[in-house]
């Protein structure tokens, strides 16, 4: 019989792959429970909103009365348990979507802060952490951030001391992103939301939910978050959405974001969906399973890496609230070989060999493995790493666990062979 594992050269690795089933079974079982519950939640939303074939087709021009677009807004609102949703291909990326939330809601003289440390790199110019004439700070909005404590918990004392009468918004980044911080799981999210609401009731709590959707049975908006946003070429697009972003939350807030995206007075009532509604509906329907498979791939990678002597973050047994897996290679060569192995075992551009290079916005060279169907889609298997000590590779996504398992195994095999 044909066995793909015959292609693994290292006998030590082969043994590890075989033993992984037994060790990881309990964690995968837990993921299956999360998938089931999220699948139920998504199905229930389709039923409640009477989604029908007419929703799957789009509109042109202004997009007035676009049934599919409006249905998708309601579907997301139901899934995420909010008053309103805004799901748009006109959001060009996650950054655009998050930026629209900040600019839509904040006004000059308002104060806002991030309480999960410095936000995701791509927001630096939006906020004005890196100077920009169009940044929030340049428009007269006051900003600061509070770091997480070394143990990964919120720095309650500093947060309390930073809140003032003008504090309009507190922002939380759920995923650690590309750092060794801890991600904010839903239990932790709930306790900080309760604390903020008890301290100053009218503060808008905003969550960057990128990489977090469907990794747990509840979402930030289930525990009192006012508004949250994410990218459709990550978790909720299910690998099928071709581009876009979503915002869900309080109706008055989502309206402001819609008017920021389009124009005052236009809001959510325009924006042709063309013929792109079908993959958005299919994508969100498949998303719980795709995210679950991505989580399994991350857990698998963490286990194999640990057995090969590398520290990982999180560890295979840790509770997860996003799909990102950090592997600490401690040497440049292993990191590069691993990333190249991921690329060589991707469906698209498997013949390409990525090398570290300078990228705008980064201080050090970066290597990126992304053999994805959709450009930059990190719900598909991908790996990125800034080339600096301690040589951490960040791995995420996989449309199926089977692809994740095969590609991760082959990548480690390449690394073992060549280093
Ligand atoms: C991906 C991501 C973003 C937005 O990134 P884009 O590349 O602009 O889509 C923002 N925050 C976090 C935590 C992310 O993972």
């Amino acid at each position: 019989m044909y066995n793909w594992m015959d292609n693994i050269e290292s006998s030590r690795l082969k043994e590890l792959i075989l033993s992984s089933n037994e060790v990881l079974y309990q964690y995968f079982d837990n993921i299956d429970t999360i998938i089931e519950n999220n699948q139920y939640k998504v199905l229930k939303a389709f039923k409640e909103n009477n989604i029908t074939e007419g929703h799957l087709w789009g509109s042109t021009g202004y997009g007035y009365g676009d049934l599919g677009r409006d249905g998708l807004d309601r579907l997301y609102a139901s899934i995420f348990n909010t008053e309103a949703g805004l799901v748009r291909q006109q959001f060009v990326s996650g950054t655009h979507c998050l930026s629209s939330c900040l600019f839509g809601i904040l006004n000059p003289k308002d104060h806002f802060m991030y309480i999960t440390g410095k936000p995701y790199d791509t927001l630096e110019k939006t906020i004005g952490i890196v100077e920009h004439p169009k940044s929030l700070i340049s428009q007269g909005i006051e900003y600061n951030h509070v770091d997480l404590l070394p143990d990964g918990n919120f720095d309650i004392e500093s947060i309390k001391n930073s809140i003032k009468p003008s504090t309009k918004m507190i922002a939380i980044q759920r995923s650690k992103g590309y750092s060794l911080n801890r991600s904010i799981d839903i239990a932790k999210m709930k306790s900080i939301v309760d604390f903020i609401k008890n301290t100053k009731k009218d503060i808008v709590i905003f969550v960057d939910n990128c990489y977090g959707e469907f990794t747990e049975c509840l979402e930030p908006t289930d525990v009192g978050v006012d508004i949250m946003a994410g990218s459709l070429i990550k978790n909720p697009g299910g690998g099928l959405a071709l581009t876009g972003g979503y915002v869900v939350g309080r109706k008055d807030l989502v309206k402001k974001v819609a008017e920021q995206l389009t124009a005052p007075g236009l809001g959510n009532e325009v924006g042709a969906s063309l013929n792109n509604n079908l993959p958005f509906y299919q994508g969100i329907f498949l998303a719980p399973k795709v995210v679950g498979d991505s989580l399994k791939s991350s857990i698998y990678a963490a286990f194999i890496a640990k057995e090969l002597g590398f520290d990982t973050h999180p560890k295979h047994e840790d509770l997860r609230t996003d799909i990102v897996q950090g592997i600490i290679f401690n040497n440049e060569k292993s990191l590069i070989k691993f990333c190249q192995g991921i690329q060589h075992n991707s469906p698209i551009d498997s013949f390409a060999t990525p090398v570290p290079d300078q990228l705008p916005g980064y201080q050090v060279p970066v290597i990126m493995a992304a053999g994805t169907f959709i450009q930059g889609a990190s719900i598909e298997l991908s790996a990125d790493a800034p080339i600096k000590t301690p040589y951490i590779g960040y791995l995420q996504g996989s449309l199926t666990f089977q692809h994740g398992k095969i590609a991760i195994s082959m990548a480690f095999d390449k690394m073992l062979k060549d280093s």
Side-chain angles (χ1 to χ4, degrees):
M1 203 189 84
Y2 184 75
N3 188 339
W4 72 272
M5 272 203 278
D6 294 343
N7 298 294
I8 301 284
E9 283 187 29
S10 159
S11 51
R12 160 120 180 83
L13 181 59
K14 234 185 250 185
E15 275 169 36
L16 280 178
I17 297 169
L18 286 170
S19 70
S20 67
N21 283 341
E22 209 176 323
V23 180
L24 298 181
Y25 176 80
Q26 52 176 318
Y27 306 108
F28 288 0
D29 204 38
N30 180 41
I31 303 289
D32 285 334
T33 305
I34 295 171
I35 296 175
E36 268 175 35
N37 283 301
N38 283 323
Q39 191 68 68
Y40 178 82
K41 178 161 59 173
V42 169
L43 175 63
K44 184 161 162 275
F46 270 81
K47 287 164 56 172
E48 281 171 3
N49 290 284
N50 296 322
I51 302 304
T52 177
E53 195 184 355
H55 286 110
L56 306 180
W57 311 112
S59 65
T60 57
Y62 296 121
Y64 292 138
D66 186 320
L67 282 181
R69 179 197 65 210
D70 295 346
L72 203 57
D73 287 350
R74 282 186 284 111
L75 184 70
Y76 268 62
S78 298
I79 291 168
F80 293 109
N81 191 16
T82 59
E83 291 173 358
L86 184 72
V87 186
R88 290 293 182 280
Q89 60 184 307
Q90 284 84 5
F91 285 122
V92 302
S93 66
T95 302
H96 180 210
C97 194
L98 296 164
S99 169
S100 302
C101 292
L102 297 174
F103 275 100
I105 295 168
L106 294 165
N107 292 312
K109 298 202 171 66
D110 285 344
H111 165 245
F112 100 103
M113 62 176 160
Y114 258 85
I115 58 170
T116 41
K118 200 163 82 58
Y120 201 72
D121 284 349
T122 56
L123 288 168
E124 288 184 343
K125 284 185 183 164
T126 295
I127 294 171
I129 299 166
V130 170
E131 230 178 81
H132 193 281
K134 289 289 182 187
S135 72
L136 291 167
I137 290 173
S138 300
Q139 315 301 308
I141 289 154
E142 198 193 335
Y143 167 79
N144 70 289
H145 75 249
V146 175
D147 283 319
L148 292 172
L149 294 171
D151 66 1
N153 284 311
F154 286 107
D155 185 346
I156 298 281
E157 251 340 277
S158 302
I159 294 171
K160 204 177 194 167
N161 292 334
S162 301
I163 293 178
K164 40 183 151 187
S166 63
T167 304
K168 171 83 164 281
M169 177 195 278
I170 286 183
I172 298 168
Q173 184 180 307
R174 179 176 178 183
S175 169
K176 61 195 163 306
Y178 301 137
S179 79
L180 290 185
N181 278 341
R182 289 270 294 280
S183 297
I184 310 302
D185 62 57
I186 298 298
K188 217 182 247 180
M189 189 78 76
K190 178 171 183 344
S191 62
I192 195 69
V193 167
D194 291 346
F195 167 78
I196 295 166
K197 296 283 176 185
N198 285 330
T199 307
K200 188 171 184 291
K201 208 165 93 238
D202 62 352
I203 290 179
V204 172
I205 304 178
F206 169 59
V207 167
D208 171 354
N209 204 32
C210 283
Y211 285 139
E213 299 87 358
F214 304 127
T215 56
E216 295 192 61
C217 291
L218 293 179
E219 297 290 338
T221 40
D222 287 313
V223 296
V225 162
D226 297 299
I227 183 157
M228 75 181 183
S231 164
L232 294 185
I233 60 169
K234 293 181 180 171
N235 306 16
L240 295 184
L242 299 173
T243 186
Y246 78 92
V247 179
V248 290
R250 251 167 53 190
K251 197 170 168 187
D252 59 317
L253 299 173
V254 173
K255 181 164 190 275
K256 288 181 183 175
V257 180
E259 299 210 324
Q260 177 69 35
L261 172 65
T262 61
L266 299 186
N268 65 355
E269 290 172 48
V270 291
S273 61
L274 308 176
N275 252 340
N276 291 330
N277 282 324
L278 177 62
F280 288 132
Y281 281 100
Q282 279 179 308
I284 188 81
F285 187 71
L286 292 180
K289 174 74 162 79
V290 173
V291 171
D293 274 25
S294 294
L295 286 170
K296 288 180 186 178
S297 295
S298 288
I299 291 170
Y300 177 78
F303 171 74
I304 300 287
K306 180 198 76 167
E307 294 294 317
L308 293 176
F310 303 110
D311 250 338
T312 69
H313 183 79
K315 302 192 183 311
H316 73 265
E317 69 267 28
D318 289 344
L319 168 75
R320 281 163 195 261
T321 196
D322 67 35
I323 61 169
V324 182
Q325 178 63 51
I327 302 172
I328 302 155
F329 285 92
N330 273 319
N331 86 79
E332 180 174 346
K333 194 167 173 208
S334 300
L335 169 64
I336 291 174
K337 290 291 169 193
F338 179 81
C339 291
Q340 290 174 343
I342 293 292
Q343 180 77 41
H344 292 162
N345 290 283
S346 297
I348 307 300
D349 293 337
S350 59
F351 51 82
T353 300
V355 293
D357 202 0
Q358 291 294 339
L359 277 183
Y362 290 87
Q363 315 306 329
V364 296
V366 179
I367 184 166
M368 289 189 169
T372 56
F373 292 97
I374 291 163
Q375 187 190 92
S378 41
I379 187 61
E380 299 182 52
L381 185 68
S382 45
D384 331 54
I387 304 298
K388 61 176 186 197
T389 56
Y391 299 105
I392 306 165
Y394 296 97
L395 177 84
Q396 63 274 315
S398 73
L399 296 176
T400 70
F401 169 56
Q402 287 68 30
H403 173 230
K405 181 175 180 177
I406 291 167
I408 290 161
S409 305
M410 303 289 269
F412 276 124
D413 198 40
K414 178 179 172 69
M415 181 202 78
L416 289 170
K417 189 166 52 184
D418 293 353
S419 38

